[in-house]
Amino acid sequence: MLRTIFIKILFLVPLFGFSQDLLINTTNRNTTTLNGTWHYIVDPYETGYYNYRYEAFDQLEKEDWSAFYINYHAKDKMERVEYDFDKSPTLTVPGDWNSQQEKLFYYEGTVWYKKSFDYQLVNDNNRLFVYFGAINYKAEVYLNGTKLGTHEGGFTPFNFEVTSIVKPKDNYLVVKVDNKRFKEAIPTINTDWWNYGGITRDVKLIEEPSTFIQDYNIQLKKGGKNTITGSVRLNNADVDEKVTISIPELKINKIFSANKEGNIQFEFISKKIKYWSPSSPKLYDVFLKTKYQTLKDEIGFRTIVTNGPNILLNGKSIFLRGICIHEENAMRGGRAYNEADALVALNWAKELGCNYVRLAHYPHNEHIVKLADKMGIMVWEEIPVYWTVDFTNEVTLKNAKNQLTEAVSRDKNRASIIIWSMANETPISEPRNTFLKELIVHTKSMDTTRLISAALEKHNIDGVNIVDDEIGQYMDIVAFNQYTGWYGGSLENAPDAKWSIKYNKPVVISEFGGGALQGLHGTIKERWTEEYQEYLYQQNLKMIEKIPNIRGTSPWILNDFRSPKRVLPVIQDGWNRKGLISNHGIKKKAFFTVKEFYIKMAQKYK
Ligand code: GCB
């Protein structure tokens, strides 16, 4: 009876993650990579997780929660007789399984991963964490047979402490990865991108002193020019902890005392700050020191605010010359996961004349955000509240908030990130308004220095394009997607379109575009030809230029990307063809149309 109650309680807990406080800036901590080859077992019926009564094994037996007991014989004896990780094949981590194994191309379900490792702590008092950059979608993590926890959400990092479990030799880390789509999830069942499954980002062990710097943020004070402000949070702080913040190039070296919870709030002045901007992406080496550790970061200082129709970067009005990007290396046909992938995408963006990218439709990996900092490209980051998520569901809201928390925690020290986006093309309703409002409040509770937006929609009455979505009142930037000439609307008349936008705020066209198969040529009237796409861009750009308060665009999309929704033979074959660049990396004609427009806008907003 008691056991039944215990099981029920466990099943009642919400489905999304129970990872612990996120460790940020993991690249500059003391880490050991667990990337590389991992053994895997494909388990479509989840036999390694549920017994024949469909009860989850790891919630039945407390003694040994290690996953994958194919045969459960007696209460005290569990025999693992029907599986063998070590004889199973391997996948490379990070990486999706779809592009690595032909038979897993369309697979959506559970795959078990296993990695063995030895680990000797540098210092016996130190603590060890296992960190995952992202797993799509749901992860159950076990070390040496002990369940560490669960995480839900395919695009954000999480970690677990393993200090009391790790051994010097023969550790085995097992992860159940499940990428099944379901209605209550974020995103929901229906999306226009490939549902790549797997351990898609870096995995590392992180060794920290027993008291360590958990989290911090350092940035230019909103509205200020010379004031650097921020906070530091220590984990397991003793009394009288001190943190030194130093920025040698600015000759800053300040010592702050933590309160008894280990928190520090600080503010100091420096008159010599060189601001971060696309034309001068200055990053400073910043050091945080305690008596136990020194943690380095590279941080850019800039302000971003709006004023009426203007977006002001360091006080100067800017135009966002952008492009949308999915986290995919189209040429490899898989999820992008490293700096080399990021470099391909951001170099193309630069070549297009961009000073800004919209990282659609979920938080991308940390490599691209860090590279954007270095290359001077402003970033719109968003969470996958896409189309028709379950707006009335409390668990769904909690999940969305959790994904926001993880994204903001990871990236809040990146100067490149100027916009947090709440959602994409969500259908207007009261529950949706409530849902998005909660997300906005939540974001502002974590970060008040960046702009809030969401990709909204327009509608049309008597030939006038109207943007009057109520949620716009809570946005700093009114952004919307529109597909004139592709999903309806005449291209010929596009430049004379009439607009009614309810808010006196900066307007950004977060998406527009149309498809073309690279190499297919014809007239401007023939869909899928490069000429049609080029004409679509010419006409749309003439229209966009005249939209009141227009301060930016991010065409859809940098390159062709995989989508199971795109089934037209010969033309699509599983690819969304709206890229300005093909999946083979060849530029289509429209690329140069956008480039020309951006040269003009760069002149205008010099
Ligand atoms: C949209 C969506 C985007 C799609 C695109 C399309 O409005 O935001 O995710 O891929 O349209 O190609 O239809």
Side-chain angles (χ1 to χ4, degrees), residues 192 361 386 424-425 483 487 511 556 561 566 576 578:
D192 186 20
H361 280 300
Y386 182 89
N424 179 74
E425 291 182 352
Y483 279 89
Y487 299 129
E511 285 177 31
W556 190 256
F561 62 97
R566 307 297 172 172
N576 184 316
K578 294 191 189 70

Side-chain angles (χ1 to χ4, degrees), residues 12-270:
L12 283 178
V13 290
L15 275 172
F16 60 90
F18 285 103
S19 56
Q20 299 151 358
D21 258 2
L22 192 69
L23 282 156
I24 64 161
N25 184 13
T26 60
T27 27
N28 290 317
R29 292 180 189 263
N30 177 13
T31 63
T32 304
T33 184
L34 291 181
N35 289 350
T37 51
W38 290 52
H39 288 283
Y40 76 97
I41 298 171
V42 184
D43 187 16
Y45 280 31
E46 301 182 290
T47 312
Y49 194 66
Y50 295 108
N51 67 12
Y52 80 128
R53 296 291 184 228
Y54 208 62
E55 296 161 322
F57 282 112
D58 70 2
Q59 297 178 8
L60 281 173
E61 289 297 328
K62 274 169 73 182
E63 296 80 29
D64 185 348
W65 285 8
S66 67
F68 223 90
Y69 298 104
I70 292 280
N71 266 6
Y72 177 75
H73 284 301
K75 192 175 175 305
D76 302 319
K77 192 164 178 275
M78 288 177 282
E79 285 184 17
R80 304 161 211 190
V81 295
E82 288 191 29
Y83 79 102
D84 186 342
F85 269 114
D86 297 329
K87 291 202 180 95
S88 298
T90 58
L91 283 168
T92 301
V93 169
D96 61 84
W97 61 57
N98 315 70
S99 64
Q100 293 190 56
Q101 258 297 335
E102 208 180 333
K103 70 175 182 204
L104 296 178
F105 186 62
Y106 284 107
Y107 183 69
E108 293 183 306
T110 285
V111 172
W112 294 86
Y113 283 73
K114 186 217 164 199
K115 179 92 178 164
S116 299
F117 64 91
D118 298 335
Y119 195 85
Q120 192 69 57
L121 285 168
V122 174
N123 177 325
D124 281 350
N125 297 324
N126 281 1
R127 296 163 65 183
L128 195 71
F129 297 81
V130 59
Y131 175 93
F132 297 90
I135 290 181
N136 191 37
Y137 169 78
K138 191 175 175 193
E140 315 270 346
V141 186
Y142 309 80
L143 181 64
N144 300 339
T146 298
K147 185 161 190 177
L148 304 178
T150 303
H151 182 265
E152 189 174 326
F155 304 98
T156 45
F158 57 97
N159 47 249
F160 299 106
E161 180 159 10
V162 295
T163 313
S164 61
I165 304 168
V166 75
K167 309 176 291 182
K169 285 246 163 270
D170 301 326
N171 296 285
Y172 61 102
L173 183 61
V174 171
V175 187
K176 175 185 185 292
V177 181
D178 184 1
N179 75 332
K180 274 195 296 297
R181 288 167 293 132
F182 59 101
K183 180 173 165 283
E184 299 79 12
I186 300 284
T188 184
I189 290 168
N190 193 24
T191 67
D192 186 20
W193 69 80
W194 206 268
N195 180 26
Y196 290 111
I199 305 180
T200 50
R201 295 187 189 158
D202 299 320
V203 185
K204 37 189 129 172
L205 296 168
I206 305 176
E207 184 168 342
E208 291 291 320
S210 73
T211 299
F212 64 90
I213 299 164
Q214 175 85 51
D215 196 7
Y216 58 87
N217 75 80
I218 303 177
Q219 53 201 297
L220 212 53
K221 192 172 183 175
K222 195 166 189 172
K225 279 194 169 141
N226 307 316
T227 309
I228 292 175
T229 179
S231 62
V232 182
R233 187 153 56 86
L234 301 177
N235 182 307
N236 190 30
D238 217 333
V239 281
D240 294 333
E241 299 286 4
K242 296 205 170 26
V243 178
T244 306
I245 296 177
S246 61
I247 310 174
E249 217 183 316
L250 291 176
K251 301 202 165 43
I252 300 268
N253 196 54
K254 306 256 178 206
I255 302 174
F256 300 95
S257 296
N259 67 13
K260 59 180 188 310
E261 282 81 38
N263 296 323
I264 289 163
Q265 302 280 346
F266 63 83
E267 206 167 280
F268 52 82
I269 303 226
S270 171

Side-chain angles (χ1 to χ4, degrees), residues 104 109 165 284 296 335 462 482 578 586:
L104 296 178
I165 304 168
Y284 287 95
K296 181 191 161 197
R335 268 265 168 272
D462 299 333
Q482 66 83 28
K578 294 191 189 70
I586 302 171

